[in-house]
Amino acid sequence: MTPRGSRTTLAALLRDVSDRLSRRYGRARRSAHRMEPLRNLVLTILSQNTTDANRDRAFAALMARFPTFPLLAAASPKDVEETIRVGGLARAKAKAILSALSRIHRERGEYSLDFLSGMSLPDARGYLTSFPGVGVKTANVVLLFSFRKEAFPVDTHILRVTKRLGLVPPAADLSRAALLLEPHVPPGEPMPFHMNLIRLGREICRPRDPLCPECPLLAVCPEGARRAENRGVAPR
Ligand code: SF4
């Protein structure tokens, strides 16, 4: 299913949505600092199913106890699990982190993902998602924020917003939505678009009680129109 029409239409819709968000929030600027890719992979594994605050606490604790990758790679799964417990799913995350470090070192002879910079986006994503516990969202975060590749990470906020906008099918999961949207995101826009959609999802298009009358996307949102109709208000 191609949501709301043809592939060209999806690209045009994404451009329009991105422009509307930029007018409301500005165009989120790239940080001059690129996080070291392997640290970013560890951080993003820690971010799964938890809040940013608990992710950051788990990451800080991990880096404080094991400040280098060789030290972390030599740690026991139990020690890593104990250190990152605040982030939730500690056993699975410890396993994913240690298994990624072990394989990268075995295959590349060093603790580095820098070689991914020379790979195409699909190949680099394919490499990262071949690690247990690393899905499309985690891979795309690393590829977008550490390599500036045109990957489009979809988190739960973006999934909810794009479903309400009718841009992805109702049954799509995070991976499917990311792969469906990514080829149609305007060039150069994945990072600001990603950040602005998350902001909209947190502040306005909330899981319960979205604030549709305040939303910059109301004029192009089927869910917003439906809710306005239920309230007896015409969308602006
Ligand atoms: Fe979400 Fe409402 Fe905005 Fe649509 S109009 S994106 S449902 S807040």
Side-chain angles (χ1 to χ4, degrees):
M1 164 184 171
T2 303
R4 295 169 67 188
S6 69
R7 292 183 134 240
T8 311
T9 304
L10 179 55
L13 286 167
L14 293 180
R15 163 61 74 189
D16 183 41
V17 169
S18 180
D19 288 347
R20 286 170 187 271
L21 290 174
S22 293
R23 284 198 289 275
R24 171 66 64 92
Y25 294 134
R27 200 166 174 280
R29 280 188 296 179
R30 291 176 168 193
S31 157
H33 171 71
R34 292 188 203 192
M35 190 170 200
E36 195 283 319
L38 194 47
R39 283 171 69 87
N40 196 4
L41 178 65
V42 171
L43 179 71
T44 311
I45 288 172
L46 290 173
S47 77
Q48 294 165 4
N49 291 91
T50 193
T51 61
D52 288 357
N54 283 341
R55 171 204 64 192
D56 291 343
R57 280 190 204 111
F59 186 69
L62 193 65
M63 292 297 110
R65 186 165 179 187
F66 309 107
T68 67
F69 286 124
L71 282 174
L72 178 55
S76 74
K78 195 164 175 299
D79 284 348
V80 175
E81 181 184 339
E82 186 183 286
T83 310
I84 62 174
R85 192 170 305 283
V86 66
L89 302 175
R91 182 176 296 183
K93 290 177 184 176
K95 195 171 162 194
I97 290 166
L98 290 174
S99 129
L101 290 178
S102 162
R103 187 173 137 199
I104 290 164
H105 193 265
R106 192 171 63 246
E107 290 180 356
R108 312 298 306 186
E110 60 179 352
Y111 294 105
S112 171
L113 287 172
D114 289 350
F115 67 96
L116 293 179
S117 67
M119 291 172 73
S120 68
L121 171 56
D123 287 351
R125 179 162 50 223
Y127 178 82
L128 288 173
T129 55
S130 70
F131 290 108
V134 177
V136 168
K137 185 190 116 188
T138 299
N140 280 357
V141 167
V142 173
L143 295 170
L144 177 64
F145 289 96
S146 288
F147 292 99
R148 305 289 197 241
K149 291 186 185 286
E150 299 264 296
F152 189 65
V154 171
D155 74 344
T156 53
H157 295 294
I158 297 178
L159 186 65
R160 178 177 66 259
V161 174
T162 53
K163 281 185 181 180
R164 286 174 171 170
L165 287 166
L167 299 173
V168 298
D173 61 12
L174 297 178
S175 302
R176 189 173 167 210
L179 297 175
L180 191 156
L181 293 169
E182 184 179 275
H184 308 287
V185 173
E189 291 298 302
M191 189 181 296
F193 192 31
H194 166 85
M195 295 174 79
N196 281 343
L197 278 170
I198 290 177
R199 183 168 173 187
L200 183 88
R202 284 185 172 145
E203 296 178 0
I204 294 180
C205 193
R206 308 177 306 195
R208 284 183 219 164
D209 302 323
L211 304 172
C212 300
E214 296 175 25
C215 181
L217 306 181
L218 179 56
V220 293
C221 180
E223 176 66 15
R226 191 184 65 74
R227 286 171 183 262
E229 200 175 298
N230 289 343
R231 289 195 308 273
V233 182
R236 285 170 288 169

